[in-house]
Amino acid sequence: MTVLFASDLDQTLIYSRNSMGMDVTEEELVEVERYEGKPLSFMTKKSQLALWNIDDSTFFLPVTTRTQAQYERVTGIFEGQQPPRFAVISNGAVILENGQPIKEWSDQIRQTCTNRKTVIKELLPEINRHFSEDWVVKVREADNWFVYLIIDRARFPEDKLDFYTATFKKLGWGLSLQGRKLYFMPESITKAGAMEYIKTHIGANYVVAAGDSLLDLDLLESADYGMLASHGEAARNAAPISAHIRKTENYGIKAGEEILARVAEISLQRQ
């Protein structure tokens, strides 16, 4: 039996110093990402070893909202090991095979976004109409797939988030607030859709998925077994989840250890 382990990266398997929590020592950490010459993201050594030692019958699929350039910075996860053959990036808009985008997949997603008018040129005027410059620090485009705002959380009117979510949903966009980033994602770009493509391609019989944010919920719902990090946006917002999804007992970087330990157990059970 082939098990597919499809997992988000940031705040699920890898963590910044601000997100890792307090119950970890410096000696437990291993750097997995460096940006502009400075360490940016970490795993525990225990998590890294657990990922490397996953049973050969289990196929690891990174599934991330990161762009290709951002994903390629995360080299420390696989240092000294063979990186995964496939990776889902840009929230599912792009699938990499041996580091190269699968053109037919991205072309299909691009056409769907165009048909539904969920493209950036249609979105930006709506952002400018609804959002105040008082709390929008930067507006960034991710490889022409989606938009995220860098915001001032102290000024951001969180009491209006439900209103913003409903407003943009009518236009075909989903919102996700993660730290200082507010994502605007076309509803046709999903992690679950890309995961299903890989599941079929490799002939996986069972899917384990892990994540922390609202953008991960479709992935977890599509899996046979899901793990939701208890510190994340989805758990904090009490988002409804199905019975096959379990919240982690641990928070922060220790949740990553818990997730990988559970994957190891499932891999052995499914042999």
Side-chain angles (χ1 to χ4, degrees), residues 69-128:
Q70 292 168 340
Y71 171 71
E72 289 174 347
R73 295 200 307 252
V74 189
T75 58
I77 295 181
F78 318 114
E79 189 172 358
Q81 303 289 317
Q82 184 71 24
R85 176 183 170 190
F86 295 101
V88 173
I89 61 172
S90 297
N91 204 63
V94 178
I95 300 174
L96 301 178
E97 181 175 11
N98 297 322
Q100 298 300 315
I102 298 176
K103 186 176 184 299
E104 66 173 5
W105 174 260
S106 293
D107 286 351
Q108 172 188 322
I109 297 297
R110 183 74 70 191
Q111 188 61 56
T112 302
C113 289
T114 300
N115 292 345
R116 296 181 179 179
K117 296 186 177 181
T118 50
V119 292
I120 289 176
K121 69 177 182 180
E122 301 278 353
L123 174 67
L124 292 179
E126 296 298 325
I127 289 178
N128 291 333

CSV table of all heavy atoms in Angstrom, one decimal, residues 69-128:
chain,number,residue,atom,x,y,z
A,69,ALA,N,10.3,30.3,-5.8
A,69,ALA,CA,11.5,30.9,-5.2
A,69,ALA,C,11.5,30.8,-3.7
A,69,ALA,O,12.6,30.5,-3.1
A,69,ALA,CB,11.6,32.4,-5.6
A,70,GLN,N,10.4,31.0,-3.0
A,70,GLN,CA,10.3,30.8,-1.6
A,70,GLN,C,10.5,29.4,-1.2
A,70,GLN,O,11.1,29.1,-0.2
A,70,GLN,CB,9.0,31.4,-1.1
A,70,GLN,CG,8.9,32.9,-1.2
A,70,GLN,CD,7.4,33.4,-1.0
A,70,GLN,OE1,6.5,32.6,-1.1
A,70,GLN,NE2,7.3,34.7,-0.7
A,71,TYR,N,9.9,28.5,-1.9
A,71,TYR,CA,10.0,27.0,-1.6
A,71,TYR,C,11.4,26.6,-1.7
A,71,TYR,O,11.9,25.8,-0.9
A,71,TYR,CB,9.1,26.2,-2.5
A,71,TYR,CG,9.3,24.7,-2.4
A,71,TYR,CD1,8.9,24.0,-1.3
A,71,TYR,CD2,9.9,24.0,-3.4
A,71,TYR,CE1,9.1,22.6,-1.2
A,71,TYR,CE2,10.1,22.7,-3.4
A,71,TYR,CZ,9.7,22.0,-2.2
A,71,TYR,OH,10.0,20.6,-2.1
A,72,GLU,N,12.1,27.1,-2.8
A,72,GLU,CA,13.5,26.6,-3.0
A,72,GLU,C,14.5,27.1,-2.0
A,72,GLU,O,15.6,26.6,-1.9
A,72,GLU,CB,13.9,27.0,-4.4
A,72,GLU,CG,13.2,26.3,-5.5
A,72,GLU,CD,13.5,26.8,-6.9
A,72,GLU,OE1,14.1,27.9,-7.0
A,72,GLU,OE2,13.1,26.1,-7.9
A,73,ARG,N,14.1,28.0,-1.1
A,73,ARG,CA,14.9,28.4,0.0
A,73,ARG,C,15.0,27.4,1.1
A,73,ARG,O,15.9,27.4,1.9
A,73,ARG,CB,14.5,29.8,0.6
A,73,ARG,CG,14.6,31.0,-0.3
A,73,ARG,CD,14.6,32.3,0.4
A,73,ARG,NE,13.4,32.4,1.4
A,73,ARG,CZ,12.4,33.2,1.2
A,73,ARG,NH1,12.3,34.0,0.1
A,73,ARG,NH2,11.4,33.3,2.1
A,74,VAL,N,13.9,26.5,1.2
A,74,VAL,CA,13.8,25.6,2.3
A,74,VAL,C,14.6,24.4,2.0
A,74,VAL,O,14.1,23.3,1.8
A,74,VAL,CB,12.3,25.3,2.6
A,74,VAL,CG1,12.2,24.5,3.9
A,74,VAL,CG2,11.5,26.6,2.7
A,75,THR,N,15.9,24.5,2.0
A,75,THR,CA,16.8,23.4,1.6
A,75,THR,C,17.2,22.5,2.8
A,75,THR,O,17.5,21.3,2.6
A,75,THR,CB,18.1,23.9,1.0
A,75,THR,OG1,18.7,24.8,1.9
A,75,THR,CG2,17.7,24.7,-0.3
A,76,GLY,N,17.1,23.1,4.0
A,76,GLY,CA,17.5,22.3,5.2
A,76,GLY,C,16.7,21.1,5.5
A,76,GLY,O,17.2,20.2,6.2
A,77,ILE,N,15.4,21.1,5.1
A,77,ILE,CA,14.6,19.9,5.4
A,77,ILE,C,15.2,18.7,4.8
A,77,ILE,O,15.2,17.6,5.5
A,77,ILE,CB,13.2,20.1,4.8
A,77,ILE,CG1,12.5,21.3,5.5
A,77,ILE,CG2,12.4,18.8,5.0
A,77,ILE,CD1,11.1,21.5,5.0
A,78,PHE,N,15.8,18.8,3.6
A,78,PHE,CA,16.2,17.6,2.9
A,78,PHE,C,17.7,17.5,2.8
A,78,PHE,O,18.3,16.7,2.1
A,78,PHE,CB,15.6,17.6,1.5
A,78,PHE,CG,14.2,18.0,1.4
A,78,PHE,CD1,13.8,19.2,0.8
A,78,PHE,CD2,13.2,17.2,2.0
A,78,PHE,CE1,12.5,19.6,0.8
A,78,PHE,CE2,11.9,17.6,2.0
A,78,PHE,CZ,11.5,18.8,1.4
A,79,GLU,N,18.4,18.3,3.6
A,79,GLU,CA,19.9,18.4,3.5
A,79,GLU,C,20.5,17.0,3.7
A,79,GLU,O,20.3,16.3,4.7
A,79,GLU,CB,20.5,19.4,4.5
A,79,GLU,CG,21.9,19.7,4.3
A,79,GLU,CD,22.4,20.8,5.2
A,79,GLU,OE1,21.6,21.3,6.0
A,79,GLU,OE2,23.6,21.1,5.2
A,80,GLY,N,21.3,16.6,2.6
A,80,GLY,CA,21.9,15.3,2.7
A,80,GLY,C,20.9,14.1,2.3
A,80,GLY,O,21.3,13.0,2.2
A,81,GLN,N,19.7,14.5,1.9
A,81,GLN,CA,18.7,13.5,1.5
A,81,GLN,C,18.2,13.9,0.2
A,81,GLN,O,18.3,15.0,-0.3
A,81,GLN,CB,17.5,13.4,2.5
A,81,GLN,CG,18.0,13.1,4.0
A,81,GLN,CD,18.4,11.7,4.2
A,81,GLN,OE1,17.8,10.8,3.6
A,81,GLN,NE2,19.5,11.5,4.9
A,82,GLN,N,17.5,12.9,-0.5
A,82,GLN,CA,16.9,13.2,-1.8
A,82,GLN,C,15.6,14.0,-1.6
A,82,GLN,O,14.7,13.5,-0.8
A,82,GLN,CB,16.5,11.8,-2.5
A,82,GLN,CG,16.0,12.0,-3.9
A,82,GLN,CD,17.0,12.4,-4.9
A,82,GLN,OE1,18.2,12.2,-4.7
A,82,GLN,NE2,16.6,13.0,-5.9
A,83,PRO,N,15.5,15.1,-2.2
A,83,PRO,CA,14.2,15.9,-2.0
A,83,PRO,C,13.1,15.2,-2.7
A,83,PRO,O,13.2,14.3,-3.5
A,83,PRO,CB,14.5,17.2,-2.7
A,83,PRO,CG,15.6,16.9,-3.7
A,83,PRO,CD,16.4,15.8,-3.1
A,84,PRO,N,11.8,15.5,-2.3
A,84,PRO,CA,10.7,14.8,-2.9
A,84,PRO,C,10.6,15.1,-4.4
A,84,PRO,O,11.0,16.1,-4.9
A,84,PRO,CB,9.5,15.5,-2.2
A,84,PRO,CG,10.0,16.1,-0.9
A,84,PRO,CD,11.4,16.5,-1.3
A,85,ARG,N,10.1,14.1,-5.1
A,85,ARG,CA,9.9,14.2,-6.5
A,85,ARG,C,8.9,15.3,-6.9
A,85,ARG,O,9.1,16.0,-7.8
A,85,ARG,CB,9.5,12.8,-7.1
A,85,ARG,CG,9.2,12.8,-8.6
A,85,ARG,CD,8.7,11.5,-9.1
A,85,ARG,NE,8.2,11.6,-10.4
A,85,ARG,CZ,7.5,10.6,-11.0
A,85,ARG,NH1,7.3,9.5,-10.3
A,85,ARG,NH2,7.1,10.7,-12.3
A,86,PHE,N,7.8,15.3,-6.1
A,86,PHE,CA,6.8,16.3,-6.4
A,86,PHE,C,6.7,17.3,-5.2
A,86,PHE,O,7.0,17.0,-4.1
A,86,PHE,CB,5.4,15.6,-6.6
A,86,PHE,CG,5.3,14.8,-7.8
A,86,PHE,CD1,5.5,13.4,-7.7
A,86,PHE,CD2,5.2,15.3,-9.0
A,86,PHE,CE1,5.4,12.6,-8.8
A,86,PHE,CE2,5.1,14.5,-10.2
A,86,PHE,CZ,5.2,13.1,-10.0
A,87,ALA,N,6.3,18.5,-5.5
A,87,ALA,CA,5.9,19.5,-4.5
A,87,ALA,C,4.8,20.4,-5.0
A,87,ALA,O,4.8,20.7,-6.2
A,87,ALA,CB,7.1,20.4,-4.1
A,88,VAL,N,3.8,20.7,-4.2
A,88,VAL,CA,2.7,21.6,-4.5
A,88,VAL,C,3.1,22.9,-4.0
A,88,VAL,O,3.3,23.1,-2.8
A,88,VAL,CB,1.4,21.1,-4.0
A,88,VAL,CG1,0.3,22.1,-4.2
A,88,VAL,CG2,1.0,19.7,-4.6
A,89,ILE,N,3.1,24.0,-4.8
A,89,ILE,CA,3.4,25.3,-4.4
A,89,ILE,C,2.3,26.3,-4.8
A,89,ILE,O,1.4,25.9,-5.5
A,89,ILE,CB,4.8,25.8,-4.9
A,89,ILE,CG1,4.8,25.8,-6.5
A,89,ILE,CG2,5.9,24.8,-4.4
A,89,ILE,CD1,6.1,26.4,-7.1
A,90,SER,N,2.5,27.5,-4.4
A,90,SER,CA,1.5,28.6,-4.8
A,90,SER,C,0.1,28.1,-4.5
A,90,SER,O,-0.9,28.4,-5.2
A,90,SER,CB,1.6,29.0,-6.3
A,90,SER,OG,2.9,29.5,-6.5
A,91,ASN,N,-0.1,27.4,-3.3
A,91,ASN,CA,-1.4,26.9,-2.8
A,91,ASN,C,-2.1,25.9,-3.7
A,91,ASN,O,-3.3,25.7,-3.5
A,91,ASN,CB,-2.3,28.1,-2.6
A,91,ASN,CG,-3.4,27.8,-1.5
A,91,ASN,OD1,-3.0,27.5,-0.3
A,91,ASN,ND2,-4.6,27.8,-1.9
A,92,GLY,N,-1.4,25.4,-4.7
A,92,GLY,CA,-2.0,24.4,-5.5
A,92,GLY,C,-2.0,24.8,-7.0
A,92,GLY,O,-2.4,24.0,-7.9
A,93,ALA,N,-1.6,26.1,-7.3
A,93,ALA,CA,-1.6,26.5,-8.6
A,93,ALA,C,-0.5,25.9,-9.5
A,93,ALA,O,-0.6,25.8,-10.7
A,93,ALA,CB,-1.5,28.1,-8.7
A,94,VAL,N,0.6,25.5,-8.8
A,94,VAL,CA,1.7,24.9,-9.5
A,94,VAL,C,2.1,23.6,-8.8
A,94,VAL,O,2.1,23.5,-7.6
A,94,VAL,CB,2.9,25.9,-9.4
A,94,VAL,CG1,4.1,25.3,-10.1
A,94,VAL,CG2,2.5,27.2,-10.1
A,95,ILE,N,2.4,22.6,-9.6
A,95,ILE,CA,3.0,21.4,-9.1
A,95,ILE,C,4.4,21.2,-9.7
A,95,ILE,O,4.5,21.3,-11.0
A,95,ILE,CB,2.1,20.1,-9.5
A,95,ILE,CG1,0.7,20.3,-8.9
A,95,ILE,CG2,2.8,18.9,-9.0
A,95,ILE,CD1,-0.3,19.2,-9.3
A,96,LEU,N,5.4,21.0,-8.9
A,96,LEU,CA,6.7,20.8,-9.4
A,96,LEU,C,7.0,19.3,-9.4
A,96,LEU,O,6.7,18.5,-8.5
A,96,LEU,CB,7.8,21.4,-8.4
A,96,LEU,CG,7.7,22.9,-8.2
A,96,LEU,CD1,8.7,23.4,-7.2
A,96,LEU,CD2,7.8,23.7,-9.5
A,97,GLU,N,7.6,18.9,-10.5
A,97,GLU,CA,8.2,17.5,-10.6
A,97,GLU,C,9.7,17.6,-10.9
A,97,GLU,O,10.1,18.2,-11.9
A,97,GLU,CB,7.5,16.7,-11.8
A,97,GLU,CG,8.0,15.3,-11.9
A,97,GLU,CD,7.3,14.5,-12.9
A,97,GLU,OE1,6.5,15.0,-13.7
A,97,GLU,OE2,7.5,13.2,-12.9
A,98,ASN,N,10.4,17.1,-9.9
A,98,ASN,CA,11.9,17.3,-10.0
A,98,ASN,C,12.3,18.7,-10.2
A,98,ASN,O,13.2,19.0,-11.0
A,98,ASN,CB,12.5,16.4,-11.1
A,98,ASN,CG,12.2,14.9,-10.8
A,98,ASN,OD1,12.3,14.5,-9.7
A,98,ASN,ND2,11.9,14.1,-11.9
A,99,GLY,N,11.6,19.6,-9.6
A,99,GLY,CA,12.0,21.0,-9.6
A,99,GLY,C,11.4,21.9,-10.7
A,99,GLY,O,11.6,23.1,-10.8
A,100,GLN,N,10.6,21.2,-11.6
A,100,GLN,CA,10.1,21.9,-12.8
A,100,GLN,C,8.6,21.9,-12.8
A,100,GLN,O,8.0,20.8,-12.5
A,100,GLN,CB,10.6,21.2,-14.1
A,100,GLN,CG,12.1,21.3,-14.3
A,100,GLN,CD,12.6,22.7,-14.3
A,100,GLN,OE1,12.1,23.6,-15.0
A,100,GLN,NE2,13.7,22.9,-13.6
A,101,PRO,N,7.9,23.0,-13.1
A,101,PRO,CA,6.5,23.0,-13.1
A,101,PRO,C,5.9,22.1,-14.1
A,101,PRO,O,6.4,22.0,-15.2
A,101,PRO,CB,6.1,24.5,-13.4
A,101,PRO,CG,7.4,25.3,-13.1
A,101,PRO,CD,8.5,24.3,-13.3
A,102,ILE,N,4.8,21.4,-13.7
A,102,ILE,CA,4.0,20.6,-14.7
A,102,ILE,C,3.1,21.6,-15.5
A,102,ILE,O,2.1,22.1,-14.9
A,102,ILE,CB,3.2,19.5,-14.0
A,102,ILE,CG1,4.2,18.6,-13.2
A,102,ILE,CG2,2.3,18.8,-15.0
A,102,ILE,CD1,3.4,17.5,-12.4
A,103,LYS,N,3.4,21.8,-16.7
A,103,LYS,CA,2.7,22.9,-17.5
A,103,LYS,C,1.2,22.6,-17.7
A,103,LYS,O,0.4,23.5,-17.5
A,103,LYS,CB,3.4,23.0,-18.8
A,103,LYS,CG,2.9,24.2,-19.7
A,103,LYS,CD,3.7,24.3,-21.0
A,103,LYS,CE,3.2,25.5,-21.8
A,103,LYS,NZ,1.8,25.4,-22.2
A,104,GLU,N,0.9,21.4,-17.9
A,104,GLU,CA,-0.5,21.1,-18.2
A,104,GLU,C,-1.4,21.4,-17.0
A,104,GLU,O,-2.6,21.9,-17.1
A,104,GLU,CB,-0.7,19.7,-18.6
A,104,GLU,CG,-0.4,18.6,-17.6
A,104,GLU,CD,-0.8,17.2,-18.0
A,104,GLU,OE1,-1.2,17.0,-19.1
A,104,GLU,OE2,-0.7,16.3,-17.1
A,105,TRP,N,-0.9,21.2,-15.8
A,105,TRP,CA,-1.6,21.5,-14.6
A,105,TRP,C,-1.8,23.0,-14.4
A,105,TRP,O,-3.0,23.5,-14.2
A,105,TRP,CB,-0.9,20.9,-13.3
A,105,TRP,CG,-1.6,21.3,-12.1
A,105,TRP,CD1,-1.2,22.3,-11.2
A,105,TRP,CD2,-2.8,20.8,-11.5
A,105,TRP,NE1,-2.1,22.5,-10.2
A,105,TRP,CE2,-3.1,21.5,-10.3
A,105,TRP,CE3,-3.7,19.8,-11.9
A,105,TRP,CZ2,-4.2,21.3,-9.6
A,105,TRP,CZ3,-4.8,19.5,-11.1
A,105,TRP,CH2,-5.1,20.3,-10.0
A,106,SER,N,-0.7,23.8,-14.5
A,106,SER,CA,-0.9,25.2,-14.3
A,106,SER,C,-1.7,25.9,-15.4
A,106,SER,O,-2.4,26.8,-15.2
A,106,SER,CB,0.5,25.8,-14.2
A,106,SER,OG,1.2,25.4,-13.1
A,107,ASP,N,-1.6,25.4,-16.6
A,107,ASP,CA,-2.4,25.9,-17.7
A,107,ASP,C,-3.9,25.7,-17.5
A,107,ASP,O,-4.7,26.6,-17.7
A,107,ASP,CB,-2.0,25.2,-19.1
A,107,ASP,CG,-0.7,25.7,-19.6
A,107,ASP,OD1,-0.1,26.7,-19.1
A,107,ASP,OD2,-0.2,25.1,-20.6
A,108,GLN,N,-4.2,24.6,-16.9
A,108,GLN,CA,-5.6,24.3,-16.6
A,108,GLN,C,-6.1,25.3,-15.5
A,108,GLN,O,-7.2,25.8,-15.6
A,108,GLN,CB,-5.7,22.8,-16.1
A,108,GLN,CG,-7.1,22.5,-15.6
A,108,GLN,CD,-7.1,21.1,-15.0
A,108,GLN,OE1,-6.4,20.2,-15.5
A,108,GLN,NE2,-7.8,20.9,-13.8
A,109,ILE,N,-5.3,25.5,-14.5
A,109,ILE,CA,-5.7,26.4,-13.4
A,109,ILE,C,-5.8,27.8,-13.9
A,109,ILE,O,-6.8,28.5,-13.6
A,109,ILE,CB,-4.7,26.3,-12.2
A,109,ILE,CG1,-4.6,24.9,-11.6
A,109,ILE,CG2,-5.0,27.3,-11.2
A,109,ILE,CD1,-5.9,24.4,-11.0
A,110,ARG,N,-4.9,28.2,-14.7
A,110,ARG,CA,-4.9,29.6,-15.3
A,110,ARG,C,-6.2,29.8,-16.1
A,110,ARG,O,-6.8,30.9,-16.0
A,110,ARG,CB,-3.7,29.8,-16.1
A,110,ARG,CG,-3.5,31.2,-16.7
A,110,ARG,CD,-3.2,32.2,-15.6
A,110,ARG,NE,-1.8,32.1,-15.2
A,110,ARG,CZ,-1.3,32.7,-14.2
A,110,ARG,NH1,-2.0,33.5,-13.4
A,110,ARG,NH2,0.0,32.5,-13.8
A,111,GLN,N,-6.5,28.8,-16.9
A,111,GLN,CA,-7.7,29.0,-17.7
A,111,GLN,C,-9.0,29.1,-16.9
A,111,GLN,O,-9.9,29.9,-17.1
A,111,GLN,CB,-7.8,27.8,-18.7
A,111,GLN,CG,-9.0,28.0,-19.7
A,111,GLN,CD,-8.8,29.2,-20.6
A,111,GLN,OE1,-7.7,29.3,-21.2
A,111,GLN,NE2,-9.7,30.1,-20.6
A,112,THR,N,-9.0,28.3,-15.8
A,112,THR,CA,-10.2,28.3,-14.9
A,112,THR,C,-10.3,29.7,-14.2
A,112,THR,O,-11.4,30.3,-14.1
A,112,THR,CB,-10.1,27.2,-13.8
A,112,THR,OG1,-10.0,25.9,-14.5
A,112,THR,CG2,-11.3,27.2,-12.9
A,113,CYS,N,-9.2,30.2,-13.7
A,113,CYS,CA,-9.2,31.5,-13.1
A,113,CYS,C,-9.6,32.6,-14.1
A,113,CYS,O,-10.4,33.5,-13.7
A,113,CYS,CB,-7.8,31.8,-12.6
A,113,CYS,SG,-7.3,30.9,-11.1
A,114,THR,N,-9.1,32.5,-15.3
A,114,THR,CA,-9.5,33.5,-16.3
A,114,THR,C,-11.0,33.4,-16.6
A,114,THR,O,-11.7,34.5,-16.7
A,114,THR,CB,-8.7,33.3,-17.6
A,114,THR,OG1,-7.3,33.4,-17.3
A,114,THR,CG2,-9.1,34.3,-18.7
A,115,ASN,N,-11.5,32.2,-16.7
A,115,ASN,CA,-13.0,32.0,-17.0
A,115,ASN,C,-13.8,32.6,-15.9
A,115,ASN,O,-14.9,33.1,-16.1
A,115,ASN,CB,-13.3,30.6,-17.3
A,115,ASN,CG,-12.7,30.0,-18.5
A,115,ASN,OD1,-12.3,30.8,-19.4
A,115,ASN,ND2,-12.6,28.7,-18.7
A,116,ARG,N,-13.4,32.4,-14.7
A,116,ARG,CA,-14.1,32.9,-13.5
A,116,ARG,C,-13.8,34.3,-13.1
A,116,ARG,O,-14.4,34.8,-12.1
A,116,ARG,CB,-13.9,32.0,-12.3
A,116,ARG,CG,-14.3,30.5,-12.6
A,116,ARG,CD,-14.1,29.7,-11.3
A,116,ARG,NE,-14.6,28.3,-11.6
A,116,ARG,CZ,-14.4,27.3,-10.7
A,116,ARG,NH1,-13.9,27.5,-9.5
A,116,ARG,NH2,-14.9,26.1,-10.9
A,117,LYS,N,-12.9,35.0,-13.8
A,117,LYS,CA,-12.5,36.3,-13.6
A,117,LYS,C,-11.9,36.5,-12.2
A,117,LYS,O,-11.9,37.6,-11.6
A,117,LYS,CB,-13.7,37.3,-13.8
A,117,LYS,CG,-14.2,37.4,-15.2
A,117,LYS,CD,-15.2,38.5,-15.4
A,117,LYS,CE,-15.7,38.5,-16.8
A,117,LYS,NZ,-16.7,39.6,-17.1
A,118,THR,N,-11.3,35.4,-11.7
A,118,THR,CA,-10.5,35.5,-10.4
A,118,THR,C,-9.0,35.7,-10.8
A,118,THR,O,-8.2,34.8,-10.5
A,118,THR,CB,-10.8,34.3,-9.6
A,118,THR,OG1,-10.6,33.1,-10.3
A,118,THR,CG2,-12.2,34.3,-9.0
A,119,VAL,N,-8.7,36.8,-11.4
A,119,VAL,CA,-7.4,37.2,-11.7
A,119,VAL,C,-7.0,38.5,-11.0
A,119,VAL,O,-7.9,39.2,-10.6
A,119,VAL,CB,-7.2,37.3,-13.3
A,119,VAL,CG1,-7.4,35.9,-13.9
A,119,VAL,CG2,-8.2,38.3,-13.8
A,120,ILE,N,-5.7,38.7,-10.9
A,120,ILE,CA,-5.3,39.8,-10.1
A,120,ILE,C,-5.8,41.2,-10.6
A,120,ILE,O,-6.1,42.0,-9.8
A,120,ILE,CB,-3.7,39.8,-9.9
A,120,ILE,CG1,-3.3,38.6,-9.1
A,120,ILE,CG2,-3.2,41.1,-9.3
A,120,ILE,CD1,-1.9,38.3,-8.9
A,121,LYS,N,-5.8,41.3,-11.9
A,121,LYS,CA,-6.2,42.6,-12.4
A,121,LYS,C,-7.7,43.0,-12.1
A,121,LYS,O,-8.0,44.1,-12.0
A,121,LYS,CB,-6.0,42.7,-13.9
A,121,LYS,CG,-6.9,41.8,-14.7
A,121,LYS,CD,-6.7,42.0,-16.2
A,121,LYS,CE,-7.6,41.2,-17.1
A,121,LYS,NZ,-7.4,41.4,-18.5
A,122,GLU,N,-8.5,41.9,-11.8
A,122,GLU,CA,-9.9,42.2,-11.4
A,122,GLU,C,-9.9,42.4,-9.9
A,122,GLU,O,-10.8,43.0,-9.4
A,122,GLU,CB,-10.7,40.9,-11.8
A,122,GLU,CG,-10.7,40.6,-13.2
A,122,GLU,CD,-11.7,41.4,-14.0
A,122,GLU,OE1,-12.5,42.2,-13.4
A,122,GLU,OE2,-11.7,41.3,-15.2
A,123,LEU,N,-9.0,41.8,-9.2
A,123,LEU,CA,-9.0,41.9,-7.7
A,123,LEU,C,-8.5,43.2,-7.1
A,123,LEU,O,-9.1,43.8,-6.2
A,123,LEU,CB,-8.1,40.8,-7.1
A,123,LEU,CG,-7.9,40.8,-5.6
A,123,LEU,CD1,-9.2,40.5,-4.9
A,123,LEU,CD2,-6.9,39.8,-5.2
A,124,LEU,N,-7.4,43.8,-7.7
A,124,LEU,CA,-6.8,44.9,-7.1
A,124,LEU,C,-7.7,46.2,-6.9
A,124,LEU,O,-7.6,46.8,-5.9
A,124,LEU,CB,-5.5,45.3,-7.9
A,124,LEU,CG,-4.4,44.3,-7.8
A,124,LEU,CD1,-3.2,44.8,-8.7
A,124,LEU,CD2,-3.9,44.1,-6.4
A,125,PRO,N,-8.6,46.5,-7.9
A,125,PRO,CA,-9.5,47.6,-7.7
A,125,PRO,C,-10.4,47.4,-6.5
A,125,PRO,O,-10.7,48.3,-5.8
A,125,PRO,CB,-10.3,47.7,-9.0
A,125,PRO,CG,-9.4,47.0,-10.0
A,125,PRO,CD,-8.7,45.9,-9.3
A,126,GLU,N,-10.8,46.1,-6.2
A,126,GLU,CA,-11.7,45.8,-5.1
A,126,GLU,C,-10.9,46.0,-3.8
A,126,GLU,O,-11.4,46.5,-2.8
A,126,GLU,CB,-12.2,44.4,-5.2
A,126,GLU,CG,-13.1,44.2,-6.4
A,126,GLU,CD,-14.4,45.1,-6.3
A,126,GLU,OE1,-14.9,45.3,-5.2
A,126,GLU,OE2,-14.8,45.5,-7.4
A,127,ILE,N,-9.6,45.6,-3.8
A,127,ILE,CA,-8.8,45.8,-2.6
A,127,ILE,C,-8.7,47.3,-2.3
A,127,ILE,O,-8.8,47.7,-1.1
A,127,ILE,CB,-7.4,45.1,-2.8
A,127,ILE,CG1,-7.5,43.6,-2.7
A,127,ILE,CG2,-6.5,45.6,-1.7
A,127,ILE,CD1,-6.2,42.9,-3.0
A,128,ASN,N,-8.4,48.1,-3.3
A,128,ASN,CA,-8.2,49.5,-3.1
A,128,ASN,C,-9.5,50.1,-2.6
A,128,ASN,O,-9.5,51.1,-1.9
A,128,ASN,CB,-7.8,50.1,-4.4
A,128,ASN,CG,-6.4,49.8,-4.8
A,128,ASN,OD1,-5.6,49.4,-4.0
A,128,ASN,ND2,-6.1,49.7,-6.1
